[in-house]
Amino acid sequence: MISETKNEFTEDEIKAFKPEEKIGLVASINPEGLPHISLITSIQAAGPSIVILGEFCKGKSKEYIQKSRNIGFLIMTMDRKLWRGKAKWTHLRKEGPEFEAYNNLPMFRYNAYFGINTVHYLDLVETYGQEGLPLGSIIFSSLLTKIAKGNLKIPGGNRILKPFAEGIFNRLDALKFISWISDDGFPVIIPILQCQAADSRRVVFSSKAYRNELKKIPKGTAVAVFAMTMKMEDVLIRGAFNGFSMSRFTEVGSVDISWVYNSMPPCHGQIYPEIPLNPVIQF
């Protein structure tokens, strides 16, 4: 849970962010003012008040953060320690010490296909110190969600989530996160590992884990929910937050899905609503 608010990283935190093996999420704002979440494991701290992102494939987030410069971030190390915060994009560079350091990392130095081509720099606005995952409440919340979700299916309608994506949401070992735009104009990221698919059109989650933070999301707000496995299979959805209601004696929140995005390289793109395929007539 969020505790103290700071505007600088400690030396120990800077070192903790260095390893390539970590979860790094960046929440940005698209041109329509809606939240977007991307997996960017290259996120690091280049100093006490500087966040950097290494770009090695072109997705929507790098475009969005340059237009609406406010981001939210989450870093989770392999020992399940979390850091969250807010930052503001300032500039990018295609050379320099951070560029060289990224491309000397084994993941990129020995990659035959691509390395880091651009480094994005952001000023840290605030961070909240190290957090631990509340595993007890997450497990309990996941069980309550599993029990409650049967009553929250949307009758009728066409399938939105493909079976593969629905399966990711229903894996109890998958990681899930929700993002919304707070009143200060910055995206917020909240872990909701208890989140599951009621069906292909709605995801639900018990309020027992991260209750105080989840209760701050206004009913009707547009939210993004990102789900991923440790094999880096992932999917991003967006929809309207329905608030909290009771189902089978459990308080659960729900999101009606209106948009689905494949954020896995090499082919990022919108899945739903489906985009018609057009023949290539110019080369």
Side-chain angles (χ1 to χ4, degrees):
M1 295 297 185
I2 290 175
S3 52
E4 57 179 324
T5 298
K6 311 182 300 178
N7 56 14
E8 287 191 345
F9 297 119
T10 66
E11 286 298 322
D12 287 341
E13 289 171 332
I14 293 171
K15 291 177 183 177
F17 304 158
K18 287 288 186 186
E20 303 153 74
E21 299 81 11
K22 64 178 181 294
I23 304 300
L25 297 181
V26 171
S28 54
I29 304 172
N30 76 3
E32 289 74 43
L34 302 173
H36 184 90
I37 305 175
S38 298
L39 176 68
I40 305 181
T41 57
S42 62
I43 186 170
Q44 293 185 11
S49 60
I50 300 175
V51 178
I52 56 173
L53 310 172
E55 178 182 325
F56 61 91
C57 62
K58 193 71 173 179
K60 289 294 184 182
S61 59
K62 315 304 188 312
E63 172 188 332
Y64 294 161
I65 66 175
Q66 295 177 63
K67 293 179 178 178
S68 179
R69 300 188 297 153
N70 295 352
I71 73 151
F73 66 85
L74 178 147
I75 298 171
M76 184 171 75
T77 54
M78 292 297 99
D79 54 359
R80 296 175 182 170
K81 294 176 182 176
L82 284 179
W83 286 264
R84 289 185 280 166
K86 303 172 183 178
K88 186 179 286 286
W89 185 89
T90 58
H91 65 286
L92 58 81
R93 296 187 67 188
K94 296 181 179 292
E95 58 182 3
E98 289 80 21
F99 179 90
E100 297 295 335
Y102 269 129
N103 283 294
N104 280 325
L105 293 171
M107 177 184 288
F108 302 109
R109 183 178 182 183
Y110 301 111
N111 192 316
Y113 299 100
F114 48 72
I116 294 292
N117 59 72
T118 306
V119 180
H120 294 264
Y121 294 79
L122 304 97
D123 287 342
L124 179 66
V125 174
E126 63 181 37
T127 185
Y128 318 116
Q130 179 185 308
E131 308 170 50
L133 281 176
L135 293 179
S137 61
I138 287 172
I139 292 170
F140 183 50
S141 193
S142 297
L143 294 174
L144 292 176
T145 301
K146 191 174 182 65
I147 293 168
K149 70 178 185 177
N151 276 358
L152 295 168
K153 295 180 179 180
I154 301 177
N158 296 325
R159 171 175 285 276
I160 293 180
L161 283 180
K162 303 295 185 185
F164 174 78
E166 188 175 342
I168 291 178
F169 273 102
N170 284 330
R171 286 185 56 165
L172 296 183
D173 61 343
L175 304 175
K176 302 119 188 179
F177 306 86
I178 190 169
S179 179
W180 60 289
I181 313 301
S182 63
D183 291 340
D184 63 3
F186 283 86
V188 176
I189 303 177
I190 307 171
I192 49 166
L193 277 66
Q194 67 270 28
C195 182
Q196 297 167 42
D199 54 27
S200 77
R201 304 173 66 84
R202 174 180 285 169
V203 296
V204 301
F205 46 91
S206 164
S207 63
K208 293 297 183 183
Y210 290 94
R211 176 186 178 86
N212 292 338
E213 293 186 59
L214 292 172
K215 286 286 190 174
K216 294 179 181 178
I217 307 176
K219 184 177 179 180
T221 298
V223 299
V225 182
F226 183 82
M228 64 171 291
T229 70
M230 295 309 289
K231 294 181 179 179
M232 298 303 168
E233 302 163 322
D234 54 68
V235 63
L236 175 66
I237 68 167
R238 196 157 53 227
F241 176 57
N242 296 316
F244 288 93
S245 60
M246 298 299 295
S247 175
R248 294 179 178 171
F249 307 104
T250 299
E251 185 181 55
V252 291
S254 64
V255 177
D256 288 349
I257 303 168
S258 60
W259 183 84
V260 184
Y261 182 77
N262 169 44
S263 50
M264 291 184 288
C267 187
H268 309 86
Q270 180 176 314
I271 298 173
Y272 181 89
E274 293 185 3
I275 299 174
L277 295 175
N278 296 314
V280 177
I281 57 176
Q282 292 183 338
F283 297 90

Short mmCIF file of all heavy atoms in Angstrom, two decimals, residues 133-187:
data_model
loop_
_atom_site.label_atom_id
_atom_site.label_comp_id
_atom_site.label_asym_id
_atom_site.label_seq_id
_atom_site.Cartn_x
_atom_site.Cartn_y
_atom_site.Cartn_z
N LEU A 133 3.76 -6.84 -2.01
CA LEU A 133 2.43 -7.32 -2.41
C LEU A 133 1.73 -7.94 -1.20
O LEU A 133 2.30 -8.80 -0.53
CB LEU A 133 2.56 -8.38 -3.51
CG LEU A 133 2.81 -7.90 -4.94
CD1 LEU A 133 3.01 -9.11 -5.85
CD2 LEU A 133 1.68 -7.04 -5.44
N PRO A 134 0.50 -7.53 -0.91
CA PRO A 134 -0.25 -8.13 0.22
C PRO A 134 -0.81 -9.49 -0.20
O PRO A 134 -1.99 -9.62 -0.52
CB PRO A 134 -1.34 -7.09 0.48
CG PRO A 134 -1.59 -6.46 -0.84
CD PRO A 134 -0.25 -6.45 -1.55
N LEU A 135 0.05 -10.50 -0.23
CA LEU A 135 -0.32 -11.78 -0.82
C LEU A 135 -1.52 -12.43 -0.14
O LEU A 135 -2.36 -13.04 -0.81
CB LEU A 135 0.88 -12.73 -0.78
CG LEU A 135 2.07 -12.33 -1.67
CD1 LEU A 135 3.20 -13.34 -1.53
CD2 LEU A 135 1.63 -12.25 -3.13
N GLY A 136 -1.64 -12.29 1.17
CA GLY A 136 -2.77 -12.89 1.89
C GLY A 136 -4.09 -12.34 1.40
O GLY A 136 -5.01 -13.10 1.06
N SER A 137 -4.19 -11.02 1.32
CA SER A 137 -5.45 -10.41 0.89
C SER A 137 -5.69 -10.63 -0.60
O SER A 137 -6.83 -10.74 -1.05
CB SER A 137 -5.47 -8.91 1.23
OG SER A 137 -4.42 -8.23 0.56
N ILE A 138 -4.61 -10.74 -1.40
CA ILE A 138 -4.77 -11.00 -2.84
C ILE A 138 -5.33 -12.40 -3.06
O ILE A 138 -6.25 -12.60 -3.87
CB ILE A 138 -3.43 -10.83 -3.57
CG1 ILE A 138 -3.05 -9.34 -3.66
CG2 ILE A 138 -3.49 -11.44 -4.97
CD1 ILE A 138 -1.67 -9.08 -4.18
N ILE A 139 -4.81 -13.40 -2.35
CA ILE A 139 -5.29 -14.77 -2.50
C ILE A 139 -6.75 -14.87 -2.08
O ILE A 139 -7.60 -15.45 -2.78
CB ILE A 139 -4.41 -15.75 -1.68
CG1 ILE A 139 -3.01 -15.82 -2.29
CG2 ILE A 139 -5.05 -17.14 -1.63
CD1 ILE A 139 -2.01 -16.57 -1.43
N PHE A 140 -7.08 -14.27 -0.92
CA PHE A 140 -8.47 -14.28 -0.43
C PHE A 140 -9.38 -13.57 -1.42
O PHE A 140 -10.48 -14.04 -1.74
CB PHE A 140 -8.51 -13.61 0.94
CG PHE A 140 -9.87 -13.62 1.59
CD1 PHE A 140 -10.61 -14.79 1.68
CD2 PHE A 140 -10.41 -12.45 2.11
CE1 PHE A 140 -11.87 -14.81 2.28
CE2 PHE A 140 -11.66 -12.44 2.71
CZ PHE A 140 -12.39 -13.62 2.79
N SER A 141 -8.92 -12.43 -1.93
CA SER A 141 -9.70 -11.65 -2.87
C SER A 141 -9.91 -12.41 -4.18
O SER A 141 -10.99 -12.33 -4.80
CB SER A 141 -9.00 -10.31 -3.14
OG SER A 141 -9.84 -9.41 -3.80
N SER A 142 -8.89 -13.16 -4.62
CA SER A 142 -9.02 -13.95 -5.85
C SER A 142 -10.08 -15.04 -5.69
O SER A 142 -10.87 -15.30 -6.62
CB SER A 142 -7.67 -14.58 -6.21
OG SER A 142 -6.71 -13.59 -6.49
N LEU A 143 -10.11 -15.69 -4.53
CA LEU A 143 -11.11 -16.73 -4.28
C LEU A 143 -12.51 -16.14 -4.25
O LEU A 143 -13.45 -16.71 -4.81
CB LEU A 143 -10.79 -17.45 -2.97
CG LEU A 143 -9.50 -18.27 -2.95
CD1 LEU A 143 -9.22 -18.83 -1.56
CD2 LEU A 143 -9.57 -19.42 -3.96
N LEU A 144 -12.66 -14.97 -3.62
CA LEU A 144 -13.97 -14.31 -3.57
C LEU A 144 -14.42 -13.90 -4.97
O LEU A 144 -15.60 -14.02 -5.32
CB LEU A 144 -13.91 -13.10 -2.66
CG LEU A 144 -13.72 -13.36 -1.17
CD1 LEU A 144 -13.59 -12.05 -0.40
CD2 LEU A 144 -14.89 -14.19 -0.61
N THR A 145 -13.47 -13.43 -5.78
CA THR A 145 -13.80 -13.05 -7.16
C THR A 145 -14.29 -14.25 -7.95
O THR A 145 -15.27 -14.16 -8.70
CB THR A 145 -12.57 -12.42 -7.85
OG1 THR A 145 -12.16 -11.27 -7.12
CG2 THR A 145 -12.90 -12.02 -9.28
N LYS A 146 -13.61 -15.37 -7.79
CA LYS A 146 -13.97 -16.60 -8.52
C LYS A 146 -15.39 -17.03 -8.15
O LYS A 146 -16.16 -17.49 -9.01
CB LYS A 146 -12.97 -17.70 -8.19
CG LYS A 146 -13.08 -18.94 -9.07
CD LYS A 146 -11.96 -19.91 -8.77
CE LYS A 146 -12.03 -21.13 -9.68
NZ LYS A 146 -11.80 -20.79 -11.09
N ILE A 147 -15.74 -16.88 -6.88
CA ILE A 147 -17.08 -17.26 -6.43
C ILE A 147 -18.14 -16.30 -6.97
O ILE A 147 -19.21 -16.71 -7.41
CB ILE A 147 -17.13 -17.29 -4.89
CG1 ILE A 147 -16.25 -18.44 -4.35
CG2 ILE A 147 -18.56 -17.44 -4.39
CD1 ILE A 147 -16.01 -18.38 -2.85
N ALA A 148 -17.81 -15.01 -6.96
CA ALA A 148 -18.80 -13.98 -7.28
C ALA A 148 -19.03 -13.78 -8.77
O ALA A 148 -20.10 -13.33 -9.19
CB ALA A 148 -18.38 -12.65 -6.65
N LYS A 149 -18.04 -14.09 -9.61
CA LYS A 149 -18.10 -13.66 -11.01
C LYS A 149 -19.20 -14.35 -11.80
O LYS A 149 -19.67 -13.82 -12.82
CB LYS A 149 -16.75 -13.86 -11.68
CG LYS A 149 -16.35 -15.32 -11.92
CD LYS A 149 -15.00 -15.39 -12.65
CE LYS A 149 -14.64 -16.82 -13.02
NZ LYS A 149 -13.37 -16.88 -13.77
N GLY A 150 -19.66 -15.53 -11.37
CA GLY A 150 -20.69 -16.24 -12.10
C GLY A 150 -21.99 -15.47 -12.21
O GLY A 150 -22.76 -15.64 -13.16
N ASN A 151 -22.26 -14.60 -11.23
CA ASN A 151 -23.48 -13.80 -11.25
C ASN A 151 -23.36 -12.53 -12.07
O ASN A 151 -24.33 -11.77 -12.18
CB ASN A 151 -23.87 -13.40 -9.82
CG ASN A 151 -24.67 -14.50 -9.13
OD1 ASN A 151 -24.96 -15.52 -9.72
ND2 ASN A 151 -25.01 -14.27 -7.88
N LEU A 152 -22.17 -12.26 -12.62
CA LEU A 152 -21.92 -10.97 -13.26
C LEU A 152 -21.69 -11.08 -14.76
O LEU A 152 -21.20 -10.14 -15.38
CB LEU A 152 -20.73 -10.29 -12.59
CG LEU A 152 -20.96 -9.92 -11.12
CD1 LEU A 152 -19.65 -9.53 -10.45
CD2 LEU A 152 -21.96 -8.79 -11.01
N LYS A 153 -22.06 -12.19 -15.35
CA LYS A 153 -21.93 -12.32 -16.79
C LYS A 153 -22.91 -11.41 -17.51
O LYS A 153 -23.99 -11.12 -17.00
CB LYS A 153 -22.17 -13.78 -17.21
CG LYS A 153 -21.14 -14.76 -16.68
CD LYS A 153 -21.44 -16.17 -17.14
CE LYS A 153 -20.40 -17.15 -16.62
NZ LYS A 153 -20.67 -18.54 -17.07
N ILE A 154 -22.53 -10.95 -18.70
CA ILE A 154 -23.42 -10.13 -19.52
C ILE A 154 -24.15 -11.06 -20.49
O ILE A 154 -23.51 -11.71 -21.32
CB ILE A 154 -22.63 -9.07 -20.30
CG1 ILE A 154 -21.86 -8.15 -19.34
CG2 ILE A 154 -23.56 -8.26 -21.19
CD1 ILE A 154 -21.01 -7.12 -20.04
N PRO A 155 -25.47 -11.16 -20.38
CA PRO A 155 -26.19 -12.09 -21.26
C PRO A 155 -26.18 -11.63 -22.70
O PRO A 155 -26.28 -10.44 -23.01
CB PRO A 155 -27.62 -12.07 -20.68
CG PRO A 155 -27.73 -10.74 -19.98
CD PRO A 155 -26.36 -10.44 -19.45
N GLY A 156 -26.04 -12.60 -23.62
CA GLY A 156 -26.09 -12.30 -25.04
C GLY A 156 -24.89 -11.53 -25.53
O GLY A 156 -23.90 -11.33 -24.82
N GLY A 157 -24.96 -11.08 -26.76
CA GLY A 157 -23.88 -10.28 -27.34
C GLY A 157 -22.78 -11.12 -27.94
O GLY A 157 -22.61 -12.30 -27.62
N ASN A 158 -22.02 -10.52 -28.82
CA ASN A 158 -20.90 -11.20 -29.46
C ASN A 158 -19.70 -11.25 -28.54
O ASN A 158 -19.55 -10.43 -27.63
CB ASN A 158 -20.52 -10.47 -30.76
CG ASN A 158 -21.63 -10.51 -31.79
OD1 ASN A 158 -22.36 -11.49 -31.89
ND2 ASN A 158 -21.76 -9.42 -32.54
N ARG A 159 -18.83 -12.21 -28.80
CA ARG A 159 -17.59 -12.33 -28.02
C ARG A 159 -16.69 -11.14 -28.27
O ARG A 159 -16.54 -10.68 -29.40
CB ARG A 159 -16.87 -13.63 -28.40
CG ARG A 159 -15.46 -13.75 -27.81
CD ARG A 159 -14.82 -15.08 -28.10
NE ARG A 159 -15.38 -16.13 -27.27
CZ ARG A 159 -14.97 -16.40 -26.03
NH1 ARG A 159 -14.00 -15.64 -25.47
NH2 ARG A 159 -15.50 -17.37 -25.34
N ILE A 160 -16.11 -10.59 -27.18
CA ILE A 160 -15.14 -9.50 -27.30
C ILE A 160 -13.73 -10.03 -27.07
O ILE A 160 -12.89 -9.97 -27.95
CB ILE A 160 -15.48 -8.36 -26.32
CG1 ILE A 160 -16.81 -7.69 -26.72
CG2 ILE A 160 -14.36 -7.33 -26.30
CD1 ILE A 160 -17.23 -6.55 -25.82
N LEU A 161 -13.45 -10.55 -25.88
CA LEU A 161 -12.14 -11.14 -25.62
C LEU A 161 -12.03 -12.48 -26.36
O LEU A 161 -12.94 -13.31 -26.31
CB LEU A 161 -11.94 -11.40 -24.13
CG LEU A 161 -11.60 -10.22 -23.21
CD1 LEU A 161 -11.45 -10.72 -21.78
CD2 LEU A 161 -10.32 -9.53 -23.67
N LYS A 162 -10.93 -12.69 -27.05
CA LYS A 162 -10.66 -13.99 -27.65
C LYS A 162 -10.40 -15.00 -26.52
O LYS A 162 -9.99 -14.61 -25.40
CB LYS A 162 -9.45 -13.91 -28.57
CG LYS A 162 -9.58 -12.89 -29.70
CD LYS A 162 -10.68 -13.23 -30.67
CE LYS A 162 -10.70 -12.27 -31.85
NZ LYS A 162 -11.84 -12.51 -32.75
N PRO A 163 -10.61 -16.29 -26.76
CA PRO A 163 -10.38 -17.29 -25.70
C PRO A 163 -8.99 -17.20 -25.08
O PRO A 163 -8.84 -17.38 -23.87
CB PRO A 163 -10.59 -18.62 -26.44
CG PRO A 163 -11.56 -18.28 -27.53
CD PRO A 163 -11.18 -16.90 -27.98
N PHE A 164 -7.97 -16.90 -25.89
CA PHE A 164 -6.61 -16.79 -25.36
C PHE A 164 -6.52 -15.67 -24.33
O PHE A 164 -5.97 -15.84 -23.24
CB PHE A 164 -5.63 -16.54 -26.51
CG PHE A 164 -4.21 -16.26 -26.07
CD1 PHE A 164 -3.38 -17.30 -25.67
CD2 PHE A 164 -3.71 -14.96 -26.03
CE1 PHE A 164 -2.08 -17.05 -25.25
CE2 PHE A 164 -2.43 -14.70 -25.62
CZ PHE A 164 -1.60 -15.75 -25.23
N ALA A 165 -7.09 -14.49 -24.66
CA ALA A 165 -7.03 -13.35 -23.76
C ALA A 165 -7.88 -13.58 -22.52
O ALA A 165 -7.49 -13.23 -21.40
CB ALA A 165 -7.48 -12.09 -24.49
N GLU A 166 -9.05 -14.18 -22.71
CA GLU A 166 -9.91 -14.48 -21.56
C GLU A 166 -9.20 -15.45 -20.62
O GLU A 166 -9.29 -15.34 -19.39
CB GLU A 166 -11.23 -15.07 -22.05
CG GLU A 166 -12.26 -15.25 -20.96
CD GLU A 166 -13.61 -15.72 -21.49
OE1 GLU A 166 -13.86 -15.60 -22.71
OE2 GLU A 166 -14.42 -16.22 -20.68
N GLY A 167 -8.45 -16.38 -21.21
CA GLY A 167 -7.69 -17.33 -20.40
C GLY A 167 -6.61 -16.66 -19.57
O GLY A 167 -6.36 -17.07 -18.43
N ILE A 168 -5.96 -15.64 -20.12
CA ILE A 168 -4.95 -14.91 -19.35
C ILE A 168 -5.59 -14.27 -18.12
O ILE A 168 -5.06 -14.35 -17.00
CB ILE A 168 -4.27 -13.84 -20.23
CG1 ILE A 168 -3.39 -14.48 -21.29
CG2 ILE A 168 -3.41 -12.89 -19.36
CD1 ILE A 168 -2.72 -13.50 -22.24
N PHE A 169 -6.74 -13.63 -18.30
CA PHE A 169 -7.42 -13.00 -17.17
C PHE A 169 -7.83 -14.02 -16.11
O PHE A 169 -7.84 -13.71 -14.91
CB PHE A 169 -8.64 -12.22 -17.64
CG PHE A 169 -8.34 -10.80 -18.05
CD1 PHE A 169 -8.23 -10.46 -19.39
CD2 PHE A 169 -8.14 -9.82 -17.09
CE1 PHE A 169 -7.93 -9.17 -19.77
CE2 PHE A 169 -7.84 -8.51 -17.46
CZ PHE A 169 -7.74 -8.18 -18.80
N ASN A 170 -8.14 -15.23 -16.52
CA ASN A 170 -8.62 -16.22 -15.56
C ASN A 170 -7.51 -17.07 -14.95
O ASN A 170 -7.79 -17.92 -14.10
CB ASN A 170 -9.67 -17.11 -16.21
CG ASN A 170 -11.01 -16.41 -16.33
OD1 ASN A 170 -11.34 -15.57 -15.50
ND2 ASN A 170 -11.77 -16.74 -17.36
N ARG A 171 -6.28 -16.81 -15.32
CA ARG A 171 -5.16 -17.50 -14.67
C ARG A 171 -4.89 -16.85 -13.32
O ARG A 171 -4.64 -15.64 -13.24
CB ARG A 171 -3.91 -17.44 -15.55
CG ARG A 171 -3.97 -18.37 -16.75
CD ARG A 171 -2.69 -18.37 -17.52
NE ARG A 171 -1.53 -18.72 -16.69
CZ ARG A 171 -0.34 -19.07 -17.16
NH1 ARG A 171 -0.16 -19.11 -18.48
NH2 ARG A 171 0.65 -19.36 -16.37
N LEU A 172 -4.92 -17.62 -12.27
CA LEU A 172 -4.72 -17.06 -10.93
C LEU A 172 -3.28 -16.63 -10.70
O LEU A 172 -3.00 -15.86 -9.78
CB LEU A 172 -5.15 -18.09 -9.87
CG LEU A 172 -6.63 -18.46 -9.87
CD1 LEU A 172 -6.94 -19.43 -8.74
CD2 LEU A 172 -7.52 -17.23 -9.77
N ASP A 173 -2.34 -17.12 -11.53
CA ASP A 173 -0.95 -16.71 -11.38
C ASP A 173 -0.59 -15.56 -12.31
O ASP A 173 0.57 -15.13 -12.35
CB ASP A 173 0.00 -17.89 -11.63
CG ASP A 173 -0.13 -18.46 -13.05
OD1 ASP A 173 -1.14 -18.18 -13.71
OD2 ASP A 173 0.78 -19.19 -13.47
N ALA A 174 -1.55 -15.04 -13.08
CA ALA A 174 -1.28 -13.90 -13.96
C ALA A 174 -1.30 -12.61 -13.16
O ALA A 174 -1.94 -12.51 -12.10
CB ALA A 174 -2.32 -13.84 -15.08
N LEU A 175 -0.59 -11.61 -13.67
CA LEU A 175 -0.54 -10.30 -13.03
C LEU A 175 -1.50 -9.37 -13.76
O LEU A 175 -1.53 -9.34 -14.99
CB LEU A 175 0.87 -9.74 -13.09
CG LEU A 175 1.98 -10.60 -12.50
CD1 LEU A 175 3.34 -9.97 -12.74
CD2 LEU A 175 1.76 -10.83 -11.02
N LYS A 176 -2.29 -8.61 -12.99
CA LYS A 176 -3.24 -7.68 -13.59
C LYS A 176 -3.16 -6.34 -12.88
O LYS A 176 -2.94 -6.29 -11.66
CB LYS A 176 -4.67 -8.22 -13.54
CG LYS A 176 -4.88 -9.56 -14.22
CD LYS A 176 -5.36 -10.57 -13.22
CE LYS A 176 -5.39 -11.97 -13.79
NZ LYS A 176 -5.85 -12.96 -12.78
N PHE A 177 -3.36 -5.27 -13.66
CA PHE A 177 -3.24 -3.92 -13.13
C PHE A 177 -4.30 -3.04 -13.79
O PHE A 177 -4.61 -3.19 -14.97
CB PHE A 177 -1.84 -3.35 -13.44
CG PHE A 177 -0.71 -4.23 -12.96
CD1 PHE A 177 -0.23 -5.26 -13.76
CD2 PHE A 177 -0.15 -4.05 -11.71
CE1 PHE A 177 0.80 -6.08 -13.33
CE2 PHE A 177 0.88 -4.87 -11.26
CZ PHE A 177 1.35 -5.89 -12.07
N ILE A 178 -4.83 -2.10 -13.01
CA ILE A 178 -5.83 -1.17 -13.53
C ILE A 178 -5.26 0.25 -13.48
O ILE A 178 -4.48 0.58 -12.58
CB ILE A 178 -7.15 -1.26 -12.72
CG1 ILE A 178 -8.27 -0.49 -13.41
CG2 ILE A 178 -6.96 -0.79 -11.28
CD1 ILE A 178 -9.65 -0.77 -12.81
N SER A 179 -5.63 1.07 -14.46
CA SER A 179 -5.17 2.45 -14.50
C SER A 179 -6.33 3.38 -14.82
O SER A 179 -7.23 3.03 -15.61
CB SER A 179 -4.06 2.62 -15.54
OG SER A 179 -3.62 3.97 -15.59
N TRP A 180 -6.30 4.55 -14.23
CA TRP A 180 -7.28 5.60 -14.52
C TRP A 180 -6.58 6.94 -14.37
O TRP A 180 -5.47 7.03 -13.83
CB TRP A 180 -8.49 5.50 -13.59
CG TRP A 180 -8.18 5.64 -12.13
CD1 TRP A 180 -7.55 4.74 -11.33
CD2 TRP A 180 -8.51 6.74 -11.28
NE1 TRP A 180 -7.45 5.19 -10.03
CE2 TRP A 180 -8.04 6.42 -9.97
CE3 TRP A 180 -9.17 7.95 -11.49
CZ2 TRP A 180 -8.20 7.28 -8.89
CZ3 TRP A 180 -9.33 8.80 -10.40
CH2 TRP A 180 -8.85 8.47 -9.13
N ILE A 181 -7.20 8.00 -14.89
CA ILE A 181 -6.61 9.34 -14.84
C ILE A 181 -7.13 10.07 -13.62
O ILE A 181 -8.34 10.29 -13.49
CB ILE A 181 -6.93 10.16 -16.12
CG1 ILE A 181 -6.68 9.31 -17.37
CG2 ILE A 181 -6.10 11.43 -16.13
CD1 ILE A 181 -5.28 8.82 -17.54
N SER A 182 -6.23 10.42 -12.71
CA SER A 182 -6.64 11.11 -11.48
C SER A 182 -6.90 12.59 -11.74
O SER A 182 -6.62 13.11 -12.83
CB SER A 182 -5.58 10.94 -10.40
OG SER A 182 -4.36 11.55 -10.79
N ASP A 183 -7.41 13.27 -10.74
CA ASP A 183 -7.78 14.68 -10.89
C ASP A 183 -6.59 15.58 -11.21
O ASP A 183 -6.76 16.66 -11.77
CB ASP A 183 -8.47 15.19 -9.61
CG ASP A 183 -9.84 14.57 -9.42
OD1 ASP A 183 -10.41 14.07 -10.41
OD2 ASP A 183 -10.34 14.56 -8.27
N ASP A 184 -5.37 15.15 -10.86
CA ASP A 184 -4.19 15.97 -11.13
C ASP A 184 -3.66 15.77 -12.55
O ASP A 184 -2.64 16.34 -12.93
CB ASP A 184 -3.09 15.72 -10.10
CG ASP A 184 -2.56 14.28 -10.13
OD1 ASP A 184 -3.02 13.48 -10.98
OD2 ASP A 184 -1.71 13.95 -9.29
N GLY A 185 -4.34 14.93 -13.35
CA GLY A 185 -3.95 14.74 -14.74
C GLY A 185 -2.91 13.65 -14.96
O GLY A 185 -2.43 13.48 -16.09
N PHE A 186 -2.56 12.90 -13.92
CA PHE A 186 -1.59 11.81 -14.05
C PHE A 186 -2.31 10.47 -13.97
O PHE A 186 -3.23 10.30 -13.16
CB PHE A 186 -0.54 11.87 -12.94
CG PHE A 186 0.52 12.92 -13.14
CD1 PHE A 186 0.31 14.22 -12.71
CD2 PHE A 186 1.71 12.61 -13.76
CE1 PHE A 186 1.28 15.19 -12.89
CE2 PHE A 186 2.70 13.57 -13.95
CZ PHE A 186 2.47 14.87 -13.52
N PRO A 187 -1.89 9.50 -14.79
CA PRO A 187 -2.45 8.15 -14.66
C PRO A 187 -1.99 7.50 -13.36
O PRO A 187 -0.87 7.72 -12.90
CB PRO A 187 -1.88 7.40 -15.87
CG PRO A 187 -1.34 8.46 -16.78
CD PRO A 187 -0.94 9.60 -15.91
#
